[in-house]
Amino acid sequence: PPQFSSHRLCYDTEVYMKALKRVQELAGSDRHITVYVATDHSQSLMDELKSRFSDLYASMSWSYLDYSRKIFNYFAGQEIDVSTSFIESPKNKNKALLGETAILDIWHLSHGQVFIGHLGSRFGKMGWYQATARYNVFIPFYTVDGHSVCCDIDEACGAMAQYVVSMENCLAIFFADKWSKFHTNETRSKYWTEGAIQRRIGSLEEKEFRSRRQQLYDLKE
């Protein structure tokens, strides 16, 4: 489903560990695995892994950036309704440090040669892009939320799949034009019920362009 700002899906650690176990099986017993972890709960996650998944934990190396949890308590001591507040709020005094931790975590994730995580998250997807750039190959991925590389975070992937008409369409996802050229009254009215549907409009335009281009080629022949 679309992942709106007000609607994010979280998954139990076991979901990630099952995927990691599968990667280990595919890699073979003779290859040691280093896991690059990006989380704002590093210590509690490591404690959970040691207690719930001790065999898997012991069989791999774990690399993570150990931030203080206090950094992520955005509005500590402030009279703010945290249920309606965002990291980007001007009242968040930790934005600079949070930005630094995010950039470092994305850099950290880029060292992995297999991605396990959310591709329905721009943070997760950026980590995948950076790893792809680092190794100059398509990084295999296991996406816990069902989103693919070709699906934007606020799209309903199944509904939009038929409109992925090229690799350019897949990877660019109309980021530059998303909220302008292809953002119409129709897309605005349907956003909170169907998700982003700009790809449908953009793909139809791309198909028309390709058709006209082919006609010109045919005339030249």
Side-chain angles (χ1 to χ4, degrees):
Q3 303 273 317
F4 302 119
S5 296
S6 58
H7 181 73
R8 290 280 190 266
L9 299 177
C10 296
Y11 299 86
D12 189 87
T13 307
E14 184 177 7
V15 176
Y16 298 87
M17 294 304 102
K18 284 183 177 179
L20 188 55
K21 180 65 176 176
R22 179 58 177 156
V23 170
Q24 186 181 50
E25 292 170 352
L26 292 171
S29 58
D30 59 334
R31 177 175 293 182
H32 184 73
I33 293 177
T34 298
V35 184
Y36 297 92
V37 180
T39 177
D40 54 11
H41 278 279
S42 57
Q43 286 303 323
S44 60
L45 176 61
M46 291 300 112
D47 290 341
E48 181 185 7
L49 294 177
K50 293 174 186 177
S51 63
R52 291 183 62 194
F53 311 95
S54 56
D55 289 345
L56 194 63
Y57 178 83
S59 67
M60 301 179 181
S61 298
W62 300 81
S63 177
Y64 58 93
L65 303 178
D66 191 12
Y67 305 117
S68 168
R69 181 61 193 162
K70 293 180 180 179
I71 296 173
F72 304 97
N73 189 4
Y74 315 138
F75 305 110
Q78 301 182 55
E79 295 182 3
I80 295 174
D81 181 2
V82 295
S83 65
T84 59
S85 300
F86 293 88
I87 294 175
E88 297 85 354
S89 169
K91 297 179 181 179
N92 178 6
K93 306 304 181 184
N94 278 345
K95 280 196 296 185
L97 190 53
L98 286 166
E100 179 180 318
T101 64
I103 292 171
L104 288 174
D105 263 338
I106 290 174
W107 171 83
H108 190 64
L109 281 179
S110 75
H111 291 77
Q113 294 177 296
V114 176
F115 177 86
I116 298 173
H118 291 252
L119 286 178
S121 156
R122 288 201 175 93
F123 182 92
K125 188 165 285 186
M126 184 58 68
W128 179 86
Y129 274 123
Q130 291 298 317
T132 296
R134 176 183 291 277
Y135 294 107
N136 199 30
V137 295
F138 188 95
I139 297 296
F141 62 85
Y142 183 102
T143 172
V144 299
D145 55 19
H147 279 242
S148 73
V149 172
C150 294
C151 181
D152 205 357
I153 68 169
D154 49 6
E155 289 183 318
C157 299
M160 291 295 109
Q162 62 182 306
Y163 302 111
V164 180
V165 296
S166 66
M167 282 306 297
E168 181 183 10
N169 176 294
C170 163
L171 296 176
I173 323 179
F174 303 109
F175 279 130
D177 295 323
K178 186 170 184 180
W179 303 117
S180 53
K181 182 177 181 180
F182 300 121
H183 200 32
T184 65
N185 289 334
E186 179 189 11
T187 65
R188 291 187 184 93
S189 65
K190 294 182 177 180
Y191 181 78
W192 295 108
T193 56
E194 298 183 24
I197 59 174
Q198 288 91 321
R199 187 191 298 276
R200 184 176 70 191
I201 300 170
S203 68
L204 293 175
E205 182 176 286
E206 184 176 349
K207 286 180 178 179
E208 291 176 2
F209 168 77
R210 290 173 179 271
S211 176
R212 291 195 299 270
R213 184 176 62 183
Q214 186 61 49
Q215 289 174 2
L216 290 173
Y217 287 157
D218 292 343
L219 287 174
K220 289 180 179 179
E221 293 178 354

